Amino acid sequence: MDFTSFAGFVCGIIMIASAIISGGNVDSFVSVPGMMIVCAGTLSATFLTFQFRDVIAALKAAYLVFTHKKQDPNDVLATMIQLCDKSRRQGLLELEKVTTRKRFLKKACMLIADGSSESVIREALRTEIDSLKLRHFVVQDVFRKMGLYAPAFGMLGTLIGLVQMLSKLNDPTLIGPAMAIALLTTFYGSILSTMLFLPIAGKLKGRTILQVINLEIMFEGAISILQNSNAVVVYEKLSSFIPARNRRPLDEMRVE
Amino acid sequence: MDFTSFAGFVCGIIMIASAIISGGNVDSFVSVPGMMIVCAGTLSATFLTFQFRDVIAALKAAYLVFTHKKQDPNDVLATMIQLCDKSRRQGLLELEKVTTRKRFLKKACMLIADGSSESVIREALRTEIDSLKLRHFVVQDVFRKMGLYAPAFGMLGTLIGLVQMLSKLNDPTLIGPAMAIALLTTFYGSILSTMLFLPIAGKLKGRTILQVINLEIMFEGAISILQNSNAVVVYEKLSSFIPARNRRPLDEMRVE
Amino acid sequence: MDFTSFAGFVCGIIMIASAIISGGNVDSFVSVPGMMIVCAGTLSATFLTFQFRDVIAALKAAYLVFTHKKQDPNDVLATMIQLCDKSRRQGLLELEKVTTRKRFLKKACMLIADGSSESVIREALRTEIDSLKLRHFVVQDVFRKMGLYAPAFGMLGTLIGLVQMLSKLNDPTLIGPAMAIALLTTFYGSILSTMLFLPIAGKLKGRTILQVINLEIMFEGAISILQNSNAVVVYEKLSSFIPARNRRPLDEMRVE
Amino acid sequence: MDFTSFAGFVCGIIMIASAIISGGNVDSFVSVPGMMIVCAGTLSATFLTFQFRDVIAALKAAYLVFTHKKQDPNDVLATMIQLCDKSRRQGLLELEKVTTRKRFLKKACMLIADGSSESVIREALRTEIDSLKLRHFVVQDVFRKMGLYAPAFGMLGTLIGLVQMLSKLNDPTLIGPAMAIALLTTFYGSILSTMLFLPIAGKLKGRTILQVINLEIMFEGAISILQNSNAVVVYEKLSSFIPARNRRPLDEMRVE
Amino acid sequence: MDFTSFAGFVCGIIMIASAIISGGNVDSFVSVPGMMIVCAGTLSATFLTFQFRDVIAALKAAYLVFTHKKQDPNDVLATMIQLCDKSRRQGLLELEKVTTRKRFLKKACMLIADGSSESVIREALRTEIDSLKLRHFVVQDVFRKMGLYAPAFGMLGTLIGLVQMLSKLNDPTLIGPAMAIALLTTFYGSILSTMLFLPIAGKLKGRTILQVINLEIMFEGAISILQNSNAVVVYEKLSSFIPARNRRPLDEMRVE
């Protein structure tokens, strides 16, 4: 569980809630029809914009990003160093027996063990990375678009409220409360966008960057193994992906 | 028929309609001149911005994207695997007899069967893909621009209404209803943009991404066939375009 | 004359005019000082932003795009096919005698007939295309910037009107008409931007795309002629620039 | 002196001034504290955003762009043609004696005369061009950011004025004038951004494009001289950077 | 300590403070709940958007950029020239003994002394530069997003205030002060964004550009050393990264 995200979210909600509660009447901030317009409108425009499958994938990705731990590039690098040592001692064919839950690494090992040419391996793995980037981009885009649609429907709701209020403007003393209700949808739309959709889109983008770095380490590692480089060279090349400050030394990686 | 899009759209419309109806007088949301300004204005600016042909192509594409099923990349991959097996057994000349409704694949087969050099085939097919991307971009742009023009004309209509109202401001009790009518064009413009034009532009973009992936599979497949690669290598290279989760295994593809 | 553009423009103007007229007093929409602020301000900022020469070029390009017919890529392709046939029959030197109003094609023919090396021809022609793209981009940018400046000066005019009105606010009954006049500049700025400047920028962009495609066909065609390719190969390569639907068959092109 | 820029600027200022004067009391448009907030705020945020040196460089560039004549690419091309003729007649060593105020050309000549390899010359000159582009981009960015900060501080000033006015709202008849003063900062911010900062940023961008073209002509020319191309080939290659309409013929260039 | 930044910031704050104080009651600009909403909201959304580690890195980078002196590219160039002279006199192995606090230069020296091939060195160092760019981009993005979130929470706070005020609108004389308080959060959000977050993001971007130039000089220098170029050639190539005006002559660099 991503603790700081959770703490951040809860803290923000408490802040806004306390601002509302301190004002006295909480009722004036609840409008079920207003919530319906913003939520249903945002969802409907989202389903119209994207494939059904992409929206589901986006919701799933958002769930995973907050519950799954991100992978340390040092671990990936250690794995590649160990595979490199192994393949130099026991031959490239040994890579076929590698068991890993990472589909990309599995595919890389299979291709090397099958004796594919370097250009085929490069192309196949590069396409995998590009496809993943594209899919992740679509997933982030779902939340980015929701972050656009929510305020738009908030404004639409406010426009509806304003037109209803203005078209039967007999009693001026009623303007205030009617206007308050009309503004609520704008409030809902803004809060959904700023506190939920846009941050999730940002979080997913950050996670994609990390995942692509891990894939790049595997990619370059696989090519180095194929070229029969020794572990020191592999370490020099791959460790460049990791900030110098966080880099684990080569010795620790081999011991593991 | 794209069901979820349809359901999303209907659901959104119902939501907004019920919000309007629940407010009592539906009449105050109908303004034929206002609708005219927004719709005619948006169309006129669109025709001024684009070629007539491009606007028609965009409307056609929007119709097709909601009625035509999208093509599964796995099927395209299966076709390429089968062509690969065939050409290895019966020779490249056999590709001339291939019958397919896909113009791109047909052209690729013709070029290979004609004995064109790899560089000519690469260039011709790459240009085809780039041209398609460019054409699709223009088509999406039509709807994106409509999504910009609609709110702009909504605001213009509101400005007209405001000027008319303010210039003869004798009776303050009439401000309300006049203002309500003036706001209606903004409402129309926003709803057209948020519920229709922008989602369609997004949907078209998603469909283009899918179609380009299919073309890339055919492109790489054609090159592999020309290089006389065997089906396993072709499968390894081309399957990278498809997310690992959805990938159909090689065996199923050859049986077909 | 580009009919649909004209029809679109007239139709949009009529729509807005009728909305204004139906409101009764047309006088309240005319403010000569307001028009002056928006028009003179936009022009002055445009001349400050761009070179004098670029603004003139932009106005000229806008005139040409609505009066000149665009060139069918099929015709360009046909010309290249015929040049290819000719040069294969009569030798590359014959290209020197080609008479054409297209400066790019003329230059390509001259370079080939002069016996320049392929790399020199490639570089010279590629630079021509890039220079044209750059020049056209500047021209579109003039109108795009005008589309930004017009609403900005509209808002400036409204601010001036508001400050004048508010600073001598003695008689509340005069707020309405004064406010109406202040809003007029915003109206002028928006209408100029939405109905004129942005659509023209879009139209110019579309025309540039088309023109670049024609140049690319000439470029690839010239290279093919230099490489002594036969007409069938040239057709296969160059026809990829044209959507399959609109492509004219090779036979028609040679007959011509 | 760049006359049209000056005329444009003066004309725009006169327009706005006359609109203000025609409204009667000019005093209501002068607010020294308001001007202070906008100007000092914009400058302070600019110095916070950029290095001190970059801001100074930007002011200097803005001064130069309006006072210095821009260089005609035809002259640069003529210089390169003459150098080419000279080096072919008298040898590459003669280039060392070339005296020119253009540092880029001087460096190119020195490198050639020193007998550096083509790859070293290419790299060194390409890096020069890229560095210049980067520096010019920063300079333009200074004015672009000022064009963003000015309206932002205008709005901040208006917010301060509104809060002050609203918090002591006893006499409703004073709302008007107080509101007018509050709006003034928005007016100042907008006018600075639209009439000054954004156009200067645009002008600098245009000048950079021109300067890069001149450098590209020198770059390609230097490479051609190194490759001992004759003047005709050099002219064919380099003249592509200049629009066909403005191109000076080769003969005129050699005579000079 | 970066003096001009500090002076700019202080000057801007004084300007705004004096505008507030001159208006009389400073109290009306202080609203602790309003500050809480904007600050806590912005922080909570930021922590939700980014990894905890990235936010901390961003705060640290912002502190460093204002306290650390930036490095003069001339010094980096001088170092590379001296290393070049040394390696030519004493051999590449001497580079191992180089002591420097620059991790990038240390790594470059180690790789050269280890006898790695040029392609391995190029790849490893290029990846280092790209990783640094990516990390710095994320760090700038933290402040850019804070610059977006702060005004958004300002507006949210104002919406809350407006709804509270409007929903209990009995006494019209209270509108003013309540509205003033509601506007305060917008004021806080704007001032944080314009005076703090956006300028810091800009400053960090400028510092990154400088740092990348220094790394590029080291990169190209290391490659030149490996290729055994002499100091003059190295100087010609590397000095192109520095504007001609600021370039230190080669003699001064060797003396050091």
Side-chain angles (χ1 to χ4, degrees):
Chain A
M1 178 73 216
D2 189 335
F3 180 69
T4 50
S5 299
F6 184 73
F9 185 69
V10 167
C11 167
I13 291 293
I14 287 175
M15 215 60 235
I16 287 168
S18 69
I20 289 173
I21 292 166
S22 72
N25 47 349
V26 181
D27 291 357
S28 57
F29 281 89
V30 178
S31 155
V32 177
M35 282 181 191
M36 294 290 278
I37 287 181
V38 175
C39 295
T42 303
L43 275 177
S44 98
T46 308
F47 275 110
L48 207 52
T49 308
F50 295 95
Q51 315 286 340
F52 181 75
R53 219 166 54 177
D54 291 336
V55 182
I56 299 302
L59 296 177
K60 220 163 120 188
Y63 172 75
L64 287 177
V65 87
F66 287 110
T67 53
H68 266 56
K69 263 190 61 182
K70 54 183 183 290
Q71 191 163 30
D72 186 352
N74 276 306
D75 293 339
V76 180
L77 177 46
T79 308
M80 296 318 291
I81 297 285
Q82 288 155 32
L83 284 180
C84 176
D85 279 341
K86 194 177 187 179
S87 76
R88 276 170 73 91
R89 274 197 315 272
Q90 308 174 10
L92 292 174
L93 277 176
E94 277 306 294
L95 291 179
E96 202 167 15
K97 297 180 195 147
V98 168
T99 54
T100 170
R101 281 190 318 140
K102 291 171 205 123
R103 277 191 248 227
F104 185 86
L105 185 54
K106 186 72 201 156
K107 177 158 193 176
C109 291
M110 289 302 297
L111 284 166
I112 295 174
D114 284 359
S116 307
S117 71
E118 187 179 324
S119 73
V120 167
I121 296 181
R122 265 186 197 279
E123 250 181 75
L125 296 185
R126 180 53 61 200
T127 305
E128 290 272 356
I129 296 180
D130 290 346
S131 301
L132 179 130
K133 273 187 195 165
L134 186 65
R135 283 199 304 279
H136 280 219
F137 175 79
V138 170
V139 157
Q140 295 160 29
D141 210 33
V142 170
F143 283 101
R144 235 176 285 137
K145 286 276 159 61
M146 288 175 100
L148 279 179
Y149 288 146
F153 279 98
M155 206 199 72
L156 268 180
T158 298
L159 276 174
I160 293 176
L162 281 179
V163 170
Q164 283 173 342
M165 179 190 87
L166 289 168
S167 62
K168 49 183 176 183
L169 195 77
N170 305 318
D171 186 357
T173 61
L174 291 175
I175 291 184
M179 188 88 177
I181 292 173
L183 280 178
L184 275 183
T185 54
T186 295
F187 175 68
Y188 295 152
S190 299
I191 215 169
L192 274 178
S193 174
T194 317
M195 286 292 291
L196 206 63
F197 297 142
L198 295 183
I200 290 180
K203 195 76 155 199
L204 288 171
K205 194 181 163 196
R207 197 54 75 93
T208 298
I209 290 175
L210 206 71
Q211 203 162 342
V212 168
I213 288 174
N214 285 340
L215 293 187
E216 291 285 352
I217 292 176
M218 293 184 208
F219 176 81
E220 292 292 345
I223 299 296
S224 298
I225 288 173
L226 193 73
Q227 292 169 342
N228 204 21
S229 308
N230 66 51
V232 179
V233 169
V234 174
Y235 178 79
E236 285 300 345
K237 267 168 77 175
L238 302 193
S239 65
S240 297
F241 286 105
I242 307 173
R245 206 166 337 104
N246 305 334
R247 228 169 263 171
R248 217 183 287 157
L250 178 55
D251 305 333
E252 284 183 37
M253 291 197 167
R254 294 180 112 164
V255 169
E256 250 177 308
Chain B
M1 178 71 216
D2 189 335
F3 182 69
T4 49
S5 298
F6 184 73
F9 185 69
V10 167
C11 167
I13 291 293
I14 288 175
M15 215 60 237
I16 287 169
S18 69
I20 289 174
I21 292 166
S22 72
N25 47 349
V26 180
D27 290 357
S28 56
F29 280 90
V30 178
S31 155
V32 176
M35 282 181 191
M36 293 289 279
I37 287 181
V38 175
C39 295
T42 304
L43 275 177
S44 98
T46 308
F47 275 110
L48 208 52
T49 308
F50 294 96
Q51 314 287 339
F52 180 74
R53 219 166 55 177
D54 290 337
V55 181
I56 299 302
L59 296 178
K60 220 163 121 188
Y63 172 75
L64 287 178
V65 87
F66 287 110
T67 53
H68 266 55
K69 263 189 63 182
K70 54 183 183 289
Q71 189 164 30
D72 187 352
N74 276 306
D75 292 340
V76 179
L77 177 46
T79 307
M80 295 319 291
I81 298 285
Q82 288 155 31
L83 284 179
C84 176
D85 279 342
K86 194 178 187 179
S87 76
R88 276 171 74 90
R89 273 197 316 272
Q90 310 173 8
L92 291 174
L93 278 175
E94 277 307 295
L95 291 179
E96 203 167 13
K97 299 181 193 145
V98 168
T99 54
T100 170
R101 281 190 317 140
K102 291 172 205 125
R103 277 191 248 227
F104 184 85
L105 186 54
K106 186 72 200 159
K107 177 157 193 176
C109 291
M110 289 302 296
L111 284 166
I112 295 175
D114 285 359
S116 308
S117 71
E118 186 178 325
S119 73
V120 167
I121 297 181
R122 264 186 198 278
E123 250 181 78
L125 296 185
R126 180 53 61 201
T127 305
E128 291 271 356
I129 297 180
D130 290 346
S131 301
L132 178 130
K133 271 187 195 164
L134 186 65
R135 282 199 304 278
H136 280 218
F137 175 79
V138 170
V139 157
Q140 295 159 31
D141 210 33
V142 170
F143 283 101
R144 235 177 285 135
K145 285 275 160 59
M146 289 176 100
L148 279 179
Y149 287 145
F153 279 98
M155 206 199 73
L156 268 180
T158 298
L159 276 174
I160 293 176
L162 281 179
V163 170
Q164 284 173 341
M165 180 190 87
L166 290 167
S167 62
K168 50 183 174 184
L169 195 76
N170 306 317
D171 186 356
T173 61
L174 292 176
I175 291 185
M179 187 90 178
I181 291 172
L183 280 179
L184 275 184
T185 54
T186 295
F187 175 68
Y188 295 150
S190 301
I191 215 169
L192 274 177
S193 174
T194 319
M195 285 292 291
L196 206 63
F197 297 142
L198 296 182
I200 289 179
K203 195 76 154 199
L204 287 171
K205 195 181 163 196
R207 196 54 75 91
T208 298
I209 290 175
L210 206 71
Q211 203 162 343
V212 168
I213 288 175
N214 285 341
L215 293 187
E216 291 285 353
I217 292 176
M218 292 183 210
F219 176 80
E220 293 291 346
I223 300 296
S224 298
I225 288 173
L226 193 73
Q227 292 169 342
N228 205 20
S229 308
N230 67 51
V232 179
V233 169
V234 174
Y235 179 79
E236 285 300 347
K237 266 168 77 176
L238 302 193
S239 65
S240 298
F241 285 106
I242 307 172
R245 209 167 334 106
N246 305 336
R247 229 168 261 171
R248 216 182 287 157
L250 177 56
D251 305 334
E252 283 183 38
M253 291 197 167
R254 292 181 113 163
V255 169
E256 249 177 309
Chain C
M1 177 72 214
D2 189 336
F3 181 69
T4 50
S5 298
F6 184 73
F9 185 69
V10 167
C11 166
I13 292 294
I14 288 175
M15 215 60 237
I16 287 168
S18 68
I20 289 173
I21 292 166
S22 72
N25 47 348
V26 180
D27 290 356
S28 56
F29 280 91
V30 178
S31 155
V32 176
M35 281 180 192
M36 293 290 278
I37 288 181
V38 174
C39 294
T42 303
L43 274 177
S44 98
T46 307
F47 275 109
L48 208 51
T49 308
F50 294 96
Q51 314 287 339
F52 180 75
R53 219 166 55 175
D54 290 337
V55 181
I56 299 301
L59 296 179
K60 220 163 120 187
Y63 172 75
L64 287 177
V65 87
F66 287 110
T67 53
H68 266 56
K69 263 189 62 182
K70 53 182 184 287
Q71 189 164 33
D72 186 352
N74 276 306
D75 292 340
V76 180
L77 177 46
T79 308
M80 297 317 293
I81 297 285
Q82 288 156 30
L83 285 180
C84 176
D85 279 342
K86 193 177 187 179
S87 76
R88 276 169 75 91
R89 272 197 318 270
Q90 310 173 7
L92 291 174
L93 277 175
E94 277 306 295
L95 292 178
E96 203 167 11
K97 299 183 194 144
V98 167
T99 54
T100 170
R101 281 189 319 140
K102 289 172 206 124
R103 277 190 248 226
F104 185 85
L105 185 54
K106 185 72 199 157
K107 177 159 193 176
C109 291
M110 290 302 296
L111 284 166
I112 295 174
D114 285 359
S116 307
S117 70
E118 185 178 327
S119 74
V120 167
I121 297 181
R122 264 186 197 279
E123 250 182 77
L125 296 185
R126 179 54 62 201
T127 306
E128 290 271 356
I129 296 180
D130 290 346
S131 301
L132 178 131
K133 271 186 195 166
L134 187 65
R135 282 199 305 278
H136 280 219
F137 176 79
V138 170
V139 158
Q140 295 159 31
D141 211 32
V142 170
F143 283 101
R144 234 176 285 134
K145 285 276 159 58
M146 288 175 99
L148 278 179
Y149 287 146
F153 279 98
M155 207 199 73
L156 269 179
T158 298
L159 276 174
I160 293 175
L162 281 179
V163 170
Q164 283 173 341
M165 178 190 87
L166 289 167
S167 63
K168 48 183 175 184
L169 195 76
N170 306 318
D171 187 355
T173 61
L174 291 175
I175 291 186
M179 188 90 178
I181 292 171
L183 280 179
L184 275 184
T185 54
T186 296
F187 175 68
Y188 295 150
S190 301
I191 214 169
L192 275 177
S193 174
T194 319
M195 285 291 291
L196 207 63
F197 297 141
L198 296 183
I200 289 179
K203 195 76 154 198
L204 288 170
K205 196 180 162 195
R207 197 54 75 91
T208 298
I209 290 176
L210 206 71
Q211 203 162 344
V212 169
I213 288 175
N214 285 341
L215 293 187
E216 290 285 352
I217 292 176
M218 293 182 209
F219 176 80
E220 293 291 345
I223 299 297
S224 298
I225 288 172
L226 193 73
Q227 293 169 342
N228 205 20
S229 308
N230 67 51
V232 179
V233 170
V234 174
Y235 179 79
E236 284 300 345
K237 265 167 79 177
L238 302 193
S239 65
S240 298
F241 285 106
I242 307 172
R245 208 168 335 105
N246 306 334
R247 227 169 264 170
R248 217 181 288 156
L250 178 56
D251 305 334
E252 283 183 38
M253 291 195 168
R254 294 180 113 163
V255 169
E256 246 178 310
Chain D
M1 179 73 213
D2 189 336
F3 180 69
T4 50
S5 298
F6 184 73
F9 186 68
V10 167
C11 166
I13 291 294
I14 287 176
M15 214 62 236
I16 287 169
S18 68
I20 289 173
I21 292 166
S22 72
N25 48 348
V26 180
D27 290 357
S28 56
F29 280 90
V30 178
S31 155
V32 177
M35 281 181 191
M36 294 290 279
I37 288 182
V38 174
C39 294
T42 303
L43 275 176
S44 98
T46 307
F47 275 109
L48 208 52
T49 308
F50 294 96
Q51 315 287 339
F52 180 75
R53 218 166 54 176
D54 290 337
V55 181
I56 299 302
L59 296 178
K60 220 163 119 188
Y63 172 75
L64 286 178
V65 87
F66 288 110
T67 54
H68 266 55
K69 263 190 62 183
K70 52 182 184 289
Q71 190 164 31
D72 186 351
N74 276 306
D75 293 339
V76 180
L77 177 45
T79 308
M80 296 317 292
I81 297 284
Q82 288 155 29
L83 285 180
C84 176
D85 278 342
K86 193 178 189 178
S87 76
R88 275 170 75 91
R89 273 197 316 270
Q90 309 173 8
L92 291 175
L93 278 175
E94 277 306 294
L95 291 178
E96 204 167 11
K97 299 181 195 146
V98 168
T99 54
T100 170
R101 282 188 320 139
K102 289 171 207 126
R103 277 190 247 228
F104 185 86
L105 185 54
K106 186 73 200 154
K107 178 159 193 175
C109 291
M110 290 301 297
L111 285 167
I112 294 175
D114 285 359
S116 308
S117 70
E118 186 178 327
S119 74
V120 167
I121 297 181
R122 265 185 196 280
E123 251 181 76
L125 296 185
R126 179 55 60 201
T127 306
E128 291 272 356
I129 296 180
D130 291 346
S131 301
L132 178 130
K133 271 186 196 167
L134 187 66
R135 282 199 304 279
H136 280 219
F137 176 80
V138 171
V139 158
Q140 295 160 31
D141 211 32
V142 170
F143 283 100
R144 233 176 286 134
K145 284 276 159 59
M146 288 175 100
L148 279 178
Y149 287 146
F153 279 98
M155 206 200 72
L156 269 178
T158 297
L159 277 173
I160 293 176
L162 281 179
V163 170
Q164 283 173 342
M165 178 190 88
L166 289 167
S167 63
K168 48 183 176 183
L169 195 76
N170 306 319
D171 187 356
T173 62
L174 291 175
I175 292 186
M179 188 89 178
I181 292 171
L183 281 178
L184 275 183
T185 54
T186 295
F187 175 68
Y188 296 150
S190 300
I191 214 169
L192 275 177
S193 173
T194 318
M195 285 292 290
L196 207 64
F197 297 142
L198 296 183
I200 289 179
K203 194 77 154 197
L204 287 171
K205 195 181 163 194
R207 198 53 75 94
T208 299
I209 289 175
L210 206 71
Q211 203 162 344
V212 168
I213 287 175
N214 284 341
L215 293 187
E216 291 285 351
I217 292 176
M218 293 184 209
F219 176 81
E220 292 292 345
I223 299 296
S224 297
I225 289 172
L226 193 73
Q227 292 170 343
N228 204 21
S229 309
N230 66 52
V232 179
V233 168
V234 174
Y235 179 79
E236 285 299 345
K237 266 167 79 177
L238 302 193
S239 64
S240 298
F241 284 106
I242 307 173
R245 209 167 333 105
N246 306 334
R247 229 169 262 170
R248 217 182 289 156
L250 178 55
D251 305 334
E252 283 183 38
M253 291 195 167
R254 294 180 113 164
V255 170
E256 247 178 307
Chain E
M1 180 73 215
D2 189 336
F3 181 69
T4 50
S5 299
F6 184 72
F9 186 68
V10 167
C11 167
I13 292 293
I14 287 175
M15 214 61 235
I16 287 169
S18 68
I20 289 174
I21 292 166
S22 72
N25 48 349
V26 180
D27 290 358
S28 57
F29 281 90
V30 178
S31 155
V32 177
M35 282 181 192
M36 294 290 278
I37 286 182
V38 175
C39 294
T42 303
L43 275 177
S44 98
T46 308
F47 275 110
L48 207 53
T49 308
F50 294 96
Q51 315 287 338
F52 180 75
R53 220 166 54 176
D54 291 336
V55 182
I56 299 302
L59 296 178
K60 220 163 120 187
Y63 172 76
L64 287 177
V65 88
F66 288 109
T67 53
H68 266 55
K69 262 189 62 182
K70 53 183 184 288
Q71 191 162 31
D72 186 352
N74 277 306
D75 293 339
V76 180
L77 176 46
T79 309
M80 295 318 292
I81 297 285
Q82 287 155 31
L83 284 180
C84 176
D85 278 342
K86 194 178 188 179
S87 76
R88 275 170 75 91
R89 273 197 316 271
Q90 309 174 8
L92 292 174
L93 277 175
E94 278 306 295
L95 292 179
E96 203 167 14
K97 299 179 195 146
V98 168
T99 54
T100 170
R101 281 189 319 140
K102 291 171 206 124
R103 277 190 248 228
F104 185 85
L105 185 54
K106 186 74 201 154
K107 178 159 192 175
C109 291
M110 290 302 296
L111 284 167
I112 294 174
D114 284 0
S116 307
S117 71
E118 187 179 325
S119 74
V120 166
I121 297 180
R122 265 186 196 280
E123 250 182 76
L125 296 185
R126 180 55 59 200
T127 305
E128 290 272 356
I129 296 180
D130 290 346
S131 300
L132 178 130
K133 272 187 196 166
L134 186 65
R135 282 200 304 280
H136 280 219
F137 175 79
V138 170
V139 158
Q140 296 160 29
D141 210 33
V142 170
F143 283 100
R144 234 176 285 135
K145 285 277 158 59
M146 289 175 100
L148 278 179
Y149 287 146
F153 279 98
M155 206 200 72
L156 269 179
T158 298
L159 276 174
I160 293 176
L162 281 179
V163 170
Q164 283 172 342
M165 178 191 87
L166 289 168
S167 63
K168 49 183 175 183
L169 196 75
N170 306 318
D171 187 355
T173 63
L174 292 175
I175 291 185
M179 187 89 177
I181 292 173
L183 280 179
L184 274 183
T185 54
T186 295
F187 175 67
Y188 295 151
S190 300
I191 215 170
L192 275 177
S193 174
T194 317
M195 286 291 291
L196 207 63
F197 297 142
L198 295 183
I200 290 179
K203 195 77 154 197
L204 288 170
K205 195 181 162 194
R207 198 53 77 92
T208 299
I209 289 175
L210 206 71
Q211 203 162 343
V212 168
I213 287 175
N214 285 341
L215 294 187
E216 291 285 352
I217 292 176
M218 294 184 208
F219 176 80
E220 292 292 345
I223 299 296
S224 298
I225 288 172
L226 193 74
Q227 293 169 343
N228 205 21
S229 309
N230 67 52
V232 179
V233 169
V234 173
Y235 179 78
E236 286 299 345
K237 266 167 79 175
L238 301 193
S239 65
S240 298
F241 284 106
I242 307 174
R245 207 167 334 106
N246 306 334
R247 229 169 262 170
R248 216 182 289 156
L250 178 55
D251 304 334
E252 284 183 38
M253 291 197 169
R254 295 180 113 164
V255 170
E256 249 178 307

